[in-house]
Amino acid sequence: MNIFKKKRSISMLSGSLALVTGFLATLAQAATVEISALFSPDPLNPHFNEFKNTTPSSGLCNTFPIFCRSRGLYSIRLGFEAQSQGPILANHADIRQGVMIKVPAEVRIIQVHSSTGQTADLEFSITAFSGSNRTRDVNELTGRPPGSNAYYTNNVLWNGMSWGFNAPAPCVLGAGMYPSNIDADYFWLTPQAAACGKSPAFDIDHLLLRNASVSYLMTTPDPLKMESGIYRGSITYTVGPGMDFDFGDVLLPTDSSVTLNFTLDVQHTLKFQFPAGADRLALNPAGGWQQWINHGRRPEKLVANQDFKMWSSTPFSMKLQCEHAVGVHCGVKNPAGDIVAVETRVTLPEGLQDDAKRPVNRNPLSIVPSVFAPTYYVDNGRAALHFDVAREQVKHMIEEHSGSTYSGSVTIIWDSSITP
């Protein structure tokens, strides 16, 4: 019996993305940021079935990498600024008349699409905001002598609540940041989509919000349930008074919106390795033909097994293509034209399941595709094909066609182009 194997390997698609922040000088323009993530199975960590964020880091997590890494956070610079359109008055009562920050902290669902029409959902939320407030020399603003300590003077300017070390509720201080005479850097966690603001103790004639960046949490879909390929999606946040990013009524941004473009690159592996000579198998009784030759004892069945190795991070189907079909199964045929059925079964490594989520142990194969899916990346797993001729078929062959040779080809077709 000849056995030929055919496989469809998944091509490795890759997308090269650079983080581009758009800065345009008019309010009607929009900033654009690229966010990318990659899934490629890792033989050293086969149970890690998650995307890796490949977005070039910019903004606050570049300054505080350990803080962000320990919390699974990433950051991006937004590409816009906000500047005051008039003076910020001392001790104002309305938070919107000063320097305030409100970010879209709630979770947003973004749908990504592949070129073949497959879709998946990811979750995205803003978790922190960072920026730098640039003013005239704070010693001039507060009337303190030139060269006075910048940290102390900033505390005086902001009623003892410097931006770098004090975050008003509901914001939470992320990390302490020392100011200079003209720049007050800050890093605030933003657990709610609510305004956080401060009122100065002295009038501020002009203030520029620079280096605006956010930290974000992105929950990506299960890559094992996605086809290989590039998935794209986007979300647009509005920027300005009363918008998603809101800095009050005095600070107006240079852009009216910021669009985040998402690219998920899924690079699956599907590979099979058969030993030399696996394309030809002989069906024999268990233990050989000696019981029949020496004692005339008819074999219970004829069997052949073929071991192979496999790698898989994607769902796939298996089906038969027969030289001699017997219903939905394949068969072998003798010169007289007599055909008997050969049952074909498969055993797959741990980590692969059938469509009922059961381990694959001698599952029957036919000309109708059977679908299997990984629960984690299967790396160099042991598998086997099993071929049996049943007892009644063996009886027919011996009693009706003794001495005859039966042969036939069974082609095993693997196909990864299926919808998980």
Side-chain angles (χ1 to χ4, degrees):
M1 179 177 65
N2 295 330
I3 303 171
F4 301 92
K5 61 183 184 295
K6 179 180 179 182
K7 66 181 180 183
R8 181 176 298 176
S9 297
I10 294 185
S11 60
M12 302 297 246
L13 302 178
S14 62
S16 178
L17 286 174
L19 179 64
V20 180
T21 56
F23 174 74
L24 300 175
T26 63
L27 185 62
Q29 299 299 326
T32 303
V33 177
E34 304 291 338
I35 297 177
S36 60
L38 167 69
F39 172 74
S40 181
D42 182 3
L44 299 180
N45 195 6
H47 290 269
F48 186 76
N49 301 317
E50 298 180 14
F51 282 90
K52 177 183 178 181
N53 194 323
T54 54
T55 309
S57 183
S58 61
L60 60 93
C61 286
N62 279 359
T63 307
F64 299 97
I66 296 177
F67 180 90
C68 291
R69 193 179 306 122
S70 65
R71 291 161 175 79
L73 302 177
Y74 301 87
S75 70
I76 47 176
R77 195 176 299 280
L78 295 176
F80 61 77
E81 295 182 343
Q83 51 190 331
S84 60
Q85 304 302 299
I88 298 170
L89 301 180
N91 300 311
H92 58 266
D94 184 355
I95 189 174
R96 300 197 61 82
Q97 297 305 307
V99 187
M100 60 158 273
I101 295 164
K102 183 178 79 69
V103 304
E106 67 277 3
V107 175
R108 305 284 180 97
I109 305 297
I110 298 133
Q111 189 173 78
V112 291
H113 305 259
S114 73
S115 59
T116 60
Q118 299 299 310
T119 63
D121 290 339
L122 64 86
E123 297 181 357
F124 185 85
S125 60
I126 304 295
T127 58
F129 184 89
S130 176
S132 181
N133 292 336
R134 172 163 288 186
T135 64
R136 202 154 49 86
D137 189 306
V138 291
N139 291 318
E140 294 179 12
L141 289 174
T142 59
R144 294 193 55 75
S148 295
N149 181 276
Y151 171 73
Y152 176 80
T153 305
N154 268 274
N155 270 332
V156 171
L157 175 61
W158 295 102
N159 282 302
M161 297 285 287
S162 67
W163 282 69
F165 287 90
N166 297 276
C171 292
V172 178
L173 182 68
M177 305 179 78
Y178 283 94
S180 71
N181 281 10
I182 61 173
D183 287 313
D185 298 333
Y186 54 97
F187 175 6
W188 294 353
L189 302 180
T190 54
Q192 300 178 31
C196 308
K198 291 178 180 288
S199 177
F202 298 83
D203 289 351
I204 299 174
D205 53 355
H206 182 267
L207 186 144
L208 174 66
L209 169 57
R210 305 169 58 247
N211 301 326
S213 71
V214 294
S215 181
Y216 62 91
L217 183 63
M218 180 171 63
T219 303
T220 49
D222 183 354
L224 299 187
K225 296 180 180 178
M226 303 169 69
E227 287 186 1
S228 189
I230 302 293
Y231 294 72
R232 303 183 190 278
S234 66
I235 185 172
T236 296
Y237 291 105
T238 55
V239 184
M243 302 299 171
D244 293 322
F245 284 96
D246 187 355
F247 304 105
D249 296 331
V250 178
L251 279 182
L252 296 185
T254 53
D255 294 271
S256 59
S257 66
V258 56
T259 296
L260 308 183
N261 294 323
F262 297 86
T263 300
L264 303 186
D265 184 2
V266 182
Q267 299 182 2
H268 279 307
T269 295
L270 181 60
K271 176 183 174 182
F272 307 91
Q273 186 179 85
F274 284 78
D279 58 335
R280 298 189 65 87
L281 293 177
L283 291 159
N284 291 297
W289 288 98
Q290 294 306 311
Q291 291 296 322
W292 168 251
I293 295 172
N294 296 331
H295 305 288
R297 185 177 300 167
R298 187 177 67 243
E300 289 295 315
K301 62 180 180 178
L302 304 181
V303 299
N305 295 292
Q306 179 58 65
D307 295 333
F308 63 96
K309 295 180 179 180
M310 66 174 296
W311 294 254
S312 178
S313 65
T314 180
F316 61 91
S317 67
M318 296 179 69
K319 70 176 182 178
L320 306 180
Q321 183 174 296
C322 309
E323 180 183 4
H324 308 298
V326 183
V328 296
H329 300 285
C330 295
V332 289
K333 181 180 179 181
N334 71 0
D338 185 56
I339 301 176
V340 296
V342 177
E343 292 184 0
T344 305
R345 298 176 179 271
V346 65
T347 295
L348 297 178
E350 182 180 354
L352 284 165
Q353 298 177 335
D354 61 18
D355 55 6
K357 301 187 181 303
R358 297 170 301 195
V360 184
N361 184 20
R362 301 185 69 90
N363 284 38
L365 298 176
S366 70
I367 63 174
V368 178
S370 297
V371 176
F372 306 101
T375 57
Y376 55 84
Y377 173 46
V378 174
D379 179 54
N380 197 23
R382 293 184 177 183
L385 293 169
H386 314 281
F387 303 93
D388 298 342
V389 177
R391 177 179 180 180
E392 290 303 314
Q393 300 281 354
V394 174
K395 178 181 178 182
H396 166 76
M397 296 166 72
I398 291 175
E399 292 181 353
E400 303 294 333
H401 298 275
S402 182
S404 182
T405 300
Y406 287 77
S407 64
S409 296
V410 178
T411 302
I412 313 295
I413 300 176
W414 283 268
D415 189 353
S416 62
S417 299
I418 61 173
T419 301

